[in-house]
Structure formats: C-alpha cells, structure tokens
C-alpha cells in the first residue's frame, strides 16, 4: 500500500535525503503523486552503497582467472559456412528470431538534441539511424520471407519523442504492437558529490537510465520476453542504435549458436591495435566475459599468439544473440553498477536552478556484458569491421557521423 507523506519523510530522514520534499508544496497534484511514488520506490540502501563506492578506488578483481576465448572467424569457416548458414536460415524462416535495438542512451558525446536514433548521419537520403536500421531489418527479412519482430528499448526521457518519430514515419512499414514494440528501460537517481539525490527542473527526482545492462530485466519486467514467446521467438539479437552497419539478422551467427548448443553468441571485430580503447571478449573464471581496456594489463593487451595476432584481440561491439531462456536468467541476476561523473542541471535546496559548467553528479549504469558470466558458454564470431561496425559516438573525429557515413557508403557502394 502507498505510504503517506509522513512515512516517506521519516525514511528520507533516516537516509539524510529530507531535501527531496523541499519543493513538494510547489508541485501540482499530479506531480506530487509522481514524486511520492518515486520516493517510495527508491532503494536508498543501494544508492548509499553506490555513492560510497564512488569514493573507493576502483576495485580490481585480482584473483579472477582471465584467459583468452576461442572464436570462429566468419571469413574462415570455409565449407562450414553454408552448413551454419543453413541451420540459421531455417530457424529464422520459422520465425524464431526477434531483434532488439537499445535506444535508451543519452548520447551525450554526440550532443544531438533528441533521441540518438533520430540522428541524420548526413547521407544524401538524409535517413535517420532508426530508418537505416529499419531498412536493413526489412531487407534481411524479405530475403528469408519473414517479418522479424522489432523491439525498441527507450528511456523515460526519450520514449515519447521516439514513439512520435516512428509514428511520423509510419513505423517504417512496421505495425505497432503487432511486429514493432516499444518499452522503457529502468532508471536510477543521480546523486551529488555529497551523496544527496538530485531534484530535477521538473521538481521530481532526477533519474538517469540505468545503463544497457538494464536490458535483460527490462525485457522481462515489461512483458517483452513473454510477448516474444507468444510470437514463437526463441532467439533475440540485441544491438545498439548507433551502429549504422549493425547486422541484426545473421543466419551464420544463429546457426553457430544452435549447432554449438550455447545460449548466446557475440560478434567481435579485431582490435585495431593493442591500445585501442575497447573491451575484449575473454574467459573469466572459466565463463565468457568482456574485459574493459581499463582492466587489462599492458602485458596482456600486447600479448601475441603464434599467428602474430593479439591474444586478447576480439573487440566486443555490442552485437549479441541470446536465447530467451538466457535473457530471463540474466534478467533475474544482479549486475554491478559502474558510476560516471556527469554534468546535471538540478534544483538546489533553496529552489534555485543550478546549471553547472562541468560534471557535478554521479550516474549509475550497469553494462550488458557484465551478465555474460551467468552464461555457461558463448560462441564468439569474428566479423569484418568494415562490414558490420560503423558506430556514431562522438560529434567529431573517431566514431563520428563522418566516419560512420564513409563506412556506410563504402559498404553499400553509394
Ligand atoms: P553508449 O554506451 O555508447 O552510450 O551506448 P550513449 O548513451 O549512446 O552515448 P554517451 O555515452 O552518452 O555519449 C551504447 C548503446 O547502448 C544504448 C545506447 O542507446 C546505444 O545504442 N544504451 C546505453 C541504452 O539503451 N541505455 C543506456 O542506459 C545506455
């Protein structure tokens, strides 16, 4: 049952967060209700411990046993290529594949106003990232005579704008709630450097998306996995919105996963050089994992195998395929949160709007690959960077609209 304001006040007092009710009387009825609901649902112990963790040195799991992971090279499967492709094609034609696009990120580095998927990378067609993804999904489906159901993960912040954008474009030929579905990811409050939860300009708790690691739980909690099961889906490709060459329908990847009897398969591209700032696939304590560039020693990063290739050279590119059962399992497991120090406008205790010049608050995010440790095994498939990876991250320079546009044009011979 909903708690009354006095009960909430006493909880806030216990956690030193009483300021969160300072603006309560200035809010209209509806917002008062939303605020109370937010305050009732915050896990204050979690926020307290996440804030305390920001003060500690990043803990490294020194005891973990890190080993290289085996991988298949898509361009060196020779006769097996057709074999795996055949298995995958059959399953896809039977309607067993769904695609999920993670579009809940804030896209701060790109600095585009509006959801990242609405961004026009500057092709002559002026198609948005969403449209480029829709084109490739529809085209792949057409080849296999099937419509691949598409699930879009948004955030509370960008859900409305995202759905409106799709409406304006007639869902790119998809039908809402029939073969295209939208769902919101989870959020966590932001805290200042004193551990105080922030109030945003709307007078409500300032929350931020809880990272792409929230995907599994969100898929389950929002009834998306149930919906997939109803549709007869068994396998789910999960990718980001900002890779304009993402290949969401890949019969070879799917065939490999089915043939090898694993519940997940991920794509990699060869790390450009030992210093590239990317996470790489590995095994941690015998299970699949991704080790971040900040966590890997220089010696490991530079280690070379007998073929002269980097031992830890399979970059994780956020292109993964999961069996629904694996998603449900990962959705039930608790992932660690990582903190990021960000710039956040907020309302101070006297009711003044503060627009900081630099980072002032912590945001907490879970990473999708932290759940890989839940999996017994995972197939890694090395693909060609120029065929499948054209990310749009920064406004300029590496991984920018300019680099992505060139890669896209080269791939499609535009
Ligand atoms: P990034 O980690 O690159 O984050 O997301 P971002 O939000 O796009 O950009 P920055 O870091 O703020 O500049 C990789 C993918 O994961 C999605 C993003 O939308 C993108 O497709 N993502 C990220 C979410 O869906 N939710 C999140 O909370 C974070």
């Amino acid at each position: 049952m909903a708690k009354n304001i006095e009960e909430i006040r006493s909880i806030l007092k216990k956690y030193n967060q009483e300021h969160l009710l300072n603006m309560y009387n200035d809010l209209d009825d509806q917002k008062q209700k939303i605020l109370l609901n937010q305050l009732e649902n915050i896990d204050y112990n979690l926020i307290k411990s996440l804030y305390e963790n920001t003060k500690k040195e990043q803990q490294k799991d020194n005891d973990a046993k890190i080993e290289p992971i085996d991988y298949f090279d898509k361009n060196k499967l020779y006769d097996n290529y057709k074999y795996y492709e055949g298995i995958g094609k059959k399953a896809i034609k039977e309607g067993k594949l769904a695609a999920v696009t993670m579009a809940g990120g804030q896209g701060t580095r790109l600095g585009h106003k509006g959801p990242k998927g609405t961004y026009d990378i500057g092709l002559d067609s002026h198609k948005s990232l969403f449209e480029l993804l829709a084109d490739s999904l529809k085209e792949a489906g057409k080849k296999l005579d099937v419509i691949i159901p598409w699930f879009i993960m948004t955030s509370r912040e960008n859900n409305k704008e995202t759905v409106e954008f799709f409406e304006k474009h007639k869902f790119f030929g998809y039908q809402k709630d029939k073969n295209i579905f939208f769902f919101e990811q989870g959020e966590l409050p932001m805290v200042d450097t004193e551990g105080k939860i922030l109030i945003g300009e709307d007078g409500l708790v300032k929350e931020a998306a809880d990272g792409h690691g929230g995907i599994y739980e969100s898929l389950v909690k929002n009834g998306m996995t149930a919906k997939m099961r109803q549709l007869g889906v068994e396998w789910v490709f999960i990718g980001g919105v900002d890779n304009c060459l993402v290949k969401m329908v890949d019969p070879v990847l799917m065939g490999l996963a089915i043939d090898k009897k694993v519940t997940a398969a991920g794509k990699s591209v060869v790390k450009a050089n030992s210093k590239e700032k990317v996470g790489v696939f590995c095994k941690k304590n015998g299970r699949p994992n991704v080790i971040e560039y900040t966590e890997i020693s220089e010696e490991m990063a530079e280690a070379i195998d007998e073929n002269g290739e980097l031992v830890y050279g399979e970059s994780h590119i956020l292109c993964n395929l999961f069996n629904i059962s694996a998603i449900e399992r990962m959705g039930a497991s608790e992932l660690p949160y990582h903190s990021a120090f960000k710039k956040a406008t907020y309302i101070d205790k006297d009711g003044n709007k503060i627009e900081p010049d630099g980072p002032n608050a912590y945001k907490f995010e879970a990473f999708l690959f932290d759940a890989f440790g839940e999996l017994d095994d995972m197939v890694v498939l090395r693909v060609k960077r120029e065929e499948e990876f054209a990310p749009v991250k920064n406004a300029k320079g590496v991984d920018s609209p300019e680099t992505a546009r060139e890669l896209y044009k080269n791939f499609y011979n535009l």
Side-chain angles (χ1 to χ4, degrees):
M1 208 177 69
K3 291 190 169 51
N4 67 35
I5 187 159
E6 287 318 315
E7 287 172 302
I8 290 177
R9 204 183 292 283
S10 77
I11 298 174
L12 295 181
K13 190 155 186 246
K14 180 171 160 208
Y15 290 97
N16 234 340
Q17 303 284 358
E18 296 121 289
H19 65 287
L20 293 174
L21 280 171
N22 281 0
M23 291 194 50
Y24 180 77
N25 291 330
D26 301 330
L27 301 177
D28 62 30
D29 285 359
Q30 203 202 351
K31 279 201 172 164
Q32 286 185 342
K33 274 198 197 119
I34 300 176
L35 179 65
L36 291 186
N37 188 41
Q38 284 183 315
L39 297 179
E40 189 174 347
N41 286 306
I42 291 174
D43 182 343
Y44 295 94
N45 281 324
L46 173 69
I47 297 300
K48 186 164 174 268
S49 79
L50 292 177
Y51 167 69
E52 282 163 4
N53 281 343
T54 65
K55 304 280 149 227
K56 293 182 195 149
E57 282 243 334
Q58 215 193 344
Q59 281 182 355
K60 283 202 180 132
D61 194 356
N62 288 329
D63 297 333
K65 187 171 169 216
I66 305 291
E67 294 166 295
I69 196 163
D70 290 337
Y71 63 88
F72 293 88
D73 187 332
K74 195 175 181 183
N75 293 287
K76 291 184 187 156
L77 290 173
Y78 309 110
D79 291 349
N80 284 335
Y81 188 99
K82 287 259 166 266
Y83 170 72
Y84 296 129
E85 188 187 44
I87 298 175
K89 274 188 176 169
K90 180 170 177 289
I92 298 169
K93 275 173 188 272
E94 287 168 357
K96 292 187 177 159
L97 175 69
V100 174
T101 295
M102 299 187 295
Q106 290 180 308
T108 34
R109 286 169 288 171
L110 181 63
H112 165 59
K113 230 178 156 329
K116 207 176 192 179
T118 64
Y119 188 75
D120 163 7
I121 64 165
L123 294 167
D124 291 343
S125 65
H126 290 293
K127 287 184 177 177
S128 62
L129 283 167
F130 278 136
E131 185 160 7
L132 299 179
L133 264 54
D135 282 353
S136 104
L137 198 54
K138 283 188 295 185
E139 186 57 32
K142 214 194 276 165
K143 278 190 194 148
L144 296 171
D145 202 18
V146 65
I147 295 172
I148 311 287
W150 196 13
F151 294 76
I152 316 274
M153 181 169 84
T154 64
S155 64
R156 186 171 62 97
E157 210 178 335
N158 72 19
N159 182 276
K160 191 164 171 280
E161 232 182 304
T162 303
V163 178
E164 280 171 3
F165 183 80
F166 270 86
E167 260 162 15
K168 194 171 132 205
H169 293 274
K170 301 199 166 47
F171 297 93
F172 303 110
Y174 269 88
Q175 281 176 277
K176 187 156 177 270
D177 299 329
K178 185 164 179 238
N179 48 33
I180 187 166
F181 308 87
F182 297 84
F183 65 103
E184 280 181 37
Q185 71 173 103
E187 289 188 311
L188 282 173
M190 294 184 77
V191 301
D192 70 11
T193 50
E194 306 293 311
K196 300 274 189 202
I197 294 173
L198 295 185
I199 284 289
E201 289 168 80
D202 53 3
L204 303 174
V205 173
K206 181 137 187 133
E207 295 187 297
D210 61 2
H212 44 57
I215 180 89
Y216 312 110
E217 194 183 350
S218 303
L219 277 169
V220 177
K221 271 199 180 158
N222 288 295
M224 296 297 128
T225 42
K227 171 71 60 193
M228 289 169 180
R229 284 192 185 280
Q230 263 175 26
L231 295 171
V233 167
E234 288 177 16
W235 293 90
V236 185
F237 179 89
I238 302 183
V241 72
D242 51 8
N243 171 8
C244 61
L245 283 182
V246 62
K247 198 165 183 194
M248 296 184 265
V249 184
D250 187 336
V252 176
L253 184 74
M254 184 124 156
L256 258 168
I258 295 171
D259 188 67
K260 301 296 167 206
K261 299 191 171 45
V262 291
T263 52
K267 292 192 185 184
S268 67
V269 299
V270 179
K271 198 171 166 180
N273 58 64
S274 65
K275 299 211 166 19
E276 197 189 7
K277 293 181 173 173
V278 290
V280 291
F281 282 100
C282 67
K283 283 223 157 172
K284 185 171 172 182
N285 300 328
R287 285 172 182 261
N289 218 304
V290 169
I291 185 164
E292 291 257 66
Y293 67 93
T294 46
E295 291 172 333
I296 192 167
S297 69
E298 212 175 307
E299 190 189 336
M300 278 165 80
E302 287 176 359
I304 299 282
D305 68 14
E306 62 280 6
N307 301 319
E309 295 200 70
L310 293 172
V311 173
Y312 295 95
E314 300 311 305
S315 308
H316 174 250
I317 53 168
L318 218 55
C319 288
N320 301 295
L321 178 75
F322 302 97
N323 191 279
I324 295 197
S325 60
I327 292 181
E328 288 165 343
R329 184 143 42 100
M330 294 189 288
S333 75
E334 276 185 19
L335 295 185
Y337 286 102
H338 307 255
S339 64
F341 200 40
K342 299 260 174 174
K343 198 163 104 173
T345 302
Y346 68 102
I347 304 293
D348 73 6
K349 61 179 178 5
D350 303 316
N352 304 312
K353 177 174 159 186
I354 309 289
E355 285 184 89
D357 295 330
N360 61 314
Y362 294 102
K363 167 184 177 187
F364 304 108
E365 292 184 300
F367 296 160
L368 170 136
F369 47 79
D370 278 334
F372 291 176
E374 295 291 317
L375 304 166
D376 297 324
D377 207 354
M378 183 168 186
V379 158
V380 175
L381 180 65
R382 178 194 279 188
V383 297
K384 283 191 181 159
R385 191 180 278 256
E386 63 275 22
E387 290 178 358
E388 305 205 22
F389 192 48
V392 183
K393 297 285 180 194
N394 306 305
K396 292 216 152 45
V398 280
D399 298 344
S400 63
E402 195 184 340
T403 56
R405 186 167 62 236
E406 279 321 297
L407 286 160
Y408 189 91
K409 280 164 103 176
N410 286 341
F411 181 72
Y412 285 103
N413 284 323
L414 299 177

